[in-house]
Amino acid sequence: MAHLLLRHRDIPDIGKLDVYRKNGGFEAFKKAVTAMKPQEVTDAVKASGLRGRGGAGFPTGVKWGFVPNNIWPHYVVANADESEPGTFKDREIMESNPFQFLEGVAIAAYAVGANAAYVYLRGEFWTVAAILDEKIADMEKAGLLGDKLFGSDFSLRIHTHLGAGAYICGEETALLESIEGKRGQPRIRPPFPAVYGLYGKPTVVNNVETLANVPLIVEKGADWYKSLGTADSAGVKIFSLSGHVNKPGNYELPFGVTFRELIYNYGGGVTDGRPVKAIMAAGASSAMIVADDKALDTPMDYASVRTLGADLGSASVIVINDSVDMDWVINKTIHFFKHESCGKCTPCRDGTYWMLHLIERIERREDIEANTELLHTVAKQMQNKCLCPLGEFSTMAVTTAIERFPADFEASVNGGKHG
Amino acid sequence: MLAEKYPGEIKKILAKYPPEYKQSAVMPLLHLAQLEKGFVDRHMMREIADLCGITETDVAEIVGFYTLYHDKPEGKLRIQVCTDIACALRGADEFLVNLCERLGIQPGGTTPDGLVTVEAVMCLAACDRAPMFQVQGPDGISYHETMTVDKTMAFIETARKEVK
């Protein structure tokens, strides 16, 4: 099947405006603005079953429907902060098929009545921001952004905003704080951004990949979109495959493809021909999946992955072979979350600090049994107590690695990464 | 003074945000200022504070929170190697150690000529092309993917001639 999101792999130069338009580009935006009411656009996205691709999987159309019509102005913000270890899909969309994403931003803005939209990119995406600035200028010149678009009363401007190195800014309220020129620390919710967002105004925040799906839904209809994927998870997904595989990369596939198919058919199998030991389906925020036959044959959609005691998240699939012990893996993930904790809430700030100290003791092979038990307790104590998902995420790999791979935390094991 | 050197850029940055929310410009202005010397000094922070209608302390707070801003000089080029889980499974830790050994520095250290600082950083969203690093320098940030120590040394040699 031809790619729907990674269309540059089939159509060279789709990153150029004339090529994108020759291939139907901006017809969906035009159709929305000239032939549909904003509510109809939202209804179509709702009916399509599209769920947020940033990790939470929340229904996109429902999110748009939360925006109240008695508080103005409204904003749309594209979350291009892509920072989850193992995730590198939004970058490819923005670099190589940028107009489909920007068309999605424009349609979302029309649907919720926003005249300004911001694309929040992680600061490291310096060159990606330059690409988008150029594409936005192309759209302005072509009359696709600006005042009274397609002869309607709808006006829209899109701006890029670069972050500066902070994983937490992928959390939507921290992201909004960051655009406002503050430290990226999450807000206490409710109120949610749909009501109290950027500059205290109703704001829709959507992931890049989510928005890139929107033009397809408007163009081809909700029923067509729903026919792709599974009953629980409509459409296609970009799976970012990394770690111990021969062909790491992005694979755009319908929801429901199994782990085995992704790793062996698409990913070319496991490095050094070794068996898969564990899979992290949602990047560093994953619960550790024991890669037995049942897991490998599980379809990758939101509901099915949950039966394995894990989440699909943003579908950043990190494959780990049997040369690695899990203490080494969680040393990496804890180190990451300790570094990225914003410091606002105590369970996360202190919890990640103590988890790091404990895993370092384990890595030094100091009283492994007692320190492992204490590490597990600290992680459990943090759960359901943190202000935002970051703190919760930091515990997922820790508790599940200890519970599901107990042999890796025994005193007789050397620990670490071998081979 | 940034205002004298970059009047057009500053105007463009401020125009992105509603006039009553000039504070939003603090991050893009810091990115702009940092291109000058690779870090943001007190004078720049004061000027940015004035441009945004906030205090110098507010600006320093932003510099302190976000890892891409620096308030001290280091190497002209900061080579920032991702050593997170996905990259580490593909040899990023070994790459960092070997690169530092070739340069005769410790991770986090700077070469004696002040050209290059090498440090480990968190995930850079390029997990399929490890080992990889980004370079923060006078032209902003660039990615260097599927790297070897030899390729990196060649890159540094080229940069040595170009970066003054």
Side-chain angles (χ1 to χ4, degrees), chain A residues 38-297:
Chain A
Q39 185 62 47
E40 289 171 339
V41 179
T42 299
D43 288 344
V45 173
K46 243 184 230 177
S48 75
L50 176 65
R51 296 169 64 166
R53 302 294 195 243
F58 192 82
T60 305
V62 175
K63 203 175 195 181
W64 293 6
F66 288 149
V67 173
N69 277 329
N70 56 354
I71 311 169
W72 297 90
H74 298 170
Y75 293 102
V76 164
V77 174
N79 185 342
D81 192 57
E82 184 160 68
S83 304
E84 180 68 45
T87 312
F88 42 90
K89 63 192 177 63
D90 296 338
R91 184 181 152 211
E92 182 172 347
I93 295 172
M94 291 186 289
E95 280 179 343
S96 303
N97 189 13
F99 287 115
Q100 186 167 332
F101 157 60
L102 291 169
E103 184 174 6
V105 174
I107 294 170
Y110 175 73
V112 303
N115 301 120
Y118 291 92
V119 180
Y120 185 97
L121 299 112
R122 59 178 300 175
E124 293 83 353
F125 285 176
W126 185 279
T127 54
V128 185
I131 292 170
L132 290 184
D133 283 341
E134 196 188 306
K135 303 306 170 190
I136 289 166
D138 289 347
M139 285 171 69
E140 284 168 353
K141 269 184 230 137
L144 295 163
L145 288 175
D147 293 326
K148 299 193 180 300
L149 297 169
F150 308 111
S152 73
D153 284 335
F154 178 63
S155 306
L156 177 64
R157 280 174 180 77
I158 301 178
H159 308 284
T160 57
H161 182 102
L162 269 179
Y167 169 78
I168 186 60
C169 290
E171 194 283 329
E172 59 182 12
T173 62
L175 184 157
L176 297 172
E177 290 285 298
S178 186
I179 300 183
E180 292 183 4
K182 301 169 190 162
R183 282 176 292 165
Q185 293 188 313
R187 297 173 181 169
I188 292 168
R189 291 155 298 164
F192 290 92
V195 176
Y196 188 91
L198 183 61
Y199 307 124
K201 300 297 185 214
T203 302
V204 161
V205 185
N206 284 142
N207 167 262
V208 171
E209 184 188 353
T210 311
L211 289 163
N213 279 281
V214 169
L216 302 169
I217 293 165
V218 171
E219 184 196 335
K220 301 184 185 193
D223 289 339
W224 167 82
Y225 194 80
K226 262 169 76 171
S227 73
L228 307 167
T230 66
D232 163 72
S233 312
V236 292
K237 180 80 190 77
I238 301 175
F239 295 88
S240 293
L241 182 63
S242 68
H244 283 150
V245 286
N246 290 320
K247 291 195 288 179
N250 286 320
Y251 295 94
E252 178 191 314
L253 300 164
F255 279 108
V257 63
T258 65
F259 284 105
R260 193 188 300 277
E261 286 170 304
L262 179 68
I263 295 168
Y264 289 95
N265 296 1
Y266 296 96
V270 179
T271 315
D272 299 331
R274 302 182 81 125
V276 197
K277 177 173 180 175
I279 299 168
M280 303 179 83
S285 301
S286 299
M288 305 295 306
I289 297 171
V290 180
D292 53 18
D293 282 339
K294 177 177 167 254
L296 287 170
D297 290 321

Side-chain angles (χ1 to χ4, degrees), chain B residues 10-26:
Chain B
I10 292 171
K11 206 176 146 196
K12 243 167 102 178
I13 288 170
L14 288 169
K16 286 185 175 189
Y17 310 99
E20 65 273 36
Y21 296 107
K22 281 194 294 192
Q23 184 172 351
S24 283
V26 63

Side-chain angles (χ1 to χ4, degrees), chain A residues 75 82 85-88 91 118 122-127 159-166 169 178-184 199 242-245 248-249 318-320 324 328-329 332 335-336 339-340 342 417, chain B residues 15-18 21 23-28 31-32 35 54 58 61-62 65-69 83-86 88-94 122-129 132 134 139-143 145:
Chain A
Y75 293 102
E82 184 160 68
T87 312
F88 42 90
R91 184 181 152 211
Y118 291 92
R122 59 178 300 175
E124 293 83 353
F125 285 176
W126 185 279
T127 54
H159 308 284
T160 57
H161 182 102
L162 269 179
C169 290
S178 186
I179 300 183
E180 292 183 4
K182 301 169 190 162
R183 282 176 292 165
Y199 307 124
S242 68
H244 283 150
V245 286
I318 304 175
V319 175
I320 300 169
V324 175
W328 178 86
V329 174
K332 281 284 178 192
H335 189 261
F336 173 79
H339 185 271
E340 299 298 341
C342 81
K417 180 173 161 242
Chain B
K16 286 185 175 189
Y17 310 99
Y21 296 107
Q23 184 172 351
S24 283
V26 63
M27 292 181 71
H31 281 304
L32 181 69
L35 295 179
I54 54 180
D58 293 330
E61 183 181 296
I62 297 295
F65 185 85
Y66 294 94
T67 56
L68 288 177
Y69 299 132
T83 56
D84 249 320
I85 176 74
L89 289 168
R90 303 184 72 80
D93 287 322
E94 295 79 0
M122 300 298 142
C123 184
L124 296 174
C127 321
D128 55 336
R129 298 173 199 165
M132 64 79 59
Q134 68 178 0
D139 301 319
I141 296 171
S142 59
Y143 273 36
E145 300 167 294

Side-chain angles (χ1 to χ4, degrees), chain B residues 38-57:
Chain B
F39 71 104
V40 191
D41 65 24
R42 279 304 204 204
H43 298 288
M44 289 169 169
M45 287 193 209
R46 193 167 313 138
E47 192 183 351
I48 290 170
D50 289 343
L51 284 166
C52 297
I54 54 180
T55 67
E56 201 183 317
T57 309

